[in-house]
Amino acid sequence: LVTAPFAVSAANGTFKDVCSTKAAKTTKKSELLATAKIKEAEAKKIAQDAAGGGAIVKGGIETEDGCLLYSYHVKDSKGQTEVFVDAGTGKVLGTEKEGKFRAALEKPVDKVKEVGGKTKEAVTGKPSTNQAVTK
């Protein structure tokens, strides 16, 4: 019950009232990572702990509603939990449970994003900032 209000906040994009660090949507990923006080490895651990364990299947640093945060999808046997971690403090800003059905619906969208990111890398010769691009 404690996370229920946060899930609603996350879904409605109201992180601006609870985050510690602001960022613009157009900021490059490298700049977002340089600004974050919490590093990726620590944010991943926080997300896994908040979700009760499991494997991270996607995610990374992003700007949501003007806030700098990490968003990770942590998968377990029941589906996925998306965890939002403040990039400035490491505080969990919210979680959203995603059942197997919703996770399956997101797969085609993720694939399109991955192909787009890889195409951009091939054209520009620069690493993509797209979270969906797998290395």
Side-chain angles (χ1 to χ4, degrees):
L1 291 174
V2 172
T3 60
F6 289 116
V8 172
S9 294
N12 294 325
T14 58
F15 288 122
K16 65 182 173 187
D17 298 329
V18 294
C19 70
S20 69
T21 308
K22 306 296 183 192
K25 269 277 196 213
T26 56
T27 306
K28 293 180 182 179
K29 183 177 179 180
S30 60
E31 292 174 31
L32 294 177
L33 289 168
T35 302
K37 293 179 183 171
I38 303 300
K39 299 305 173 201
E40 276 188 292
E42 185 178 356
K44 285 180 179 181
K45 172 119 177 56
I46 292 167
Q48 285 177 304
D49 290 347
I56 292 178
V57 293
K58 66 180 177 178
I61 198 159
E62 64 181 54
T63 303
E64 183 76 35
D65 196 33
C67 293
L68 182 61
L69 53 86
Y70 292 95
S71 170
Y72 291 108
H73 290 248
V74 183
K75 183 177 180 178
D76 62 20
S77 62
K78 297 176 187 168
Q80 293 182 26
T81 302
E82 186 173 7
V83 182
F84 303 94
V85 179
D86 189 303
T89 64
K91 178 181 175 186
V92 174
L93 299 177
T95 62
E96 286 183 14
K97 280 297 223 184
E98 297 178 352
K100 290 180 181 181
F101 180 72
R102 181 171 169 193
L105 287 175
E106 288 184 1
K107 280 186 179 185
V109 174
D110 292 340
K111 189 64 177 174
V112 169
K113 288 179 180 179
E114 179 181 9
V115 169
K118 286 184 177 181
T119 302
K120 183 178 178 181
E121 284 181 346
V123 170
T124 64
K126 297 179 182 177
S128 175
T129 59
N130 187 330
Q131 291 180 22
V133 174
T134 56
K135 303 291 179 198

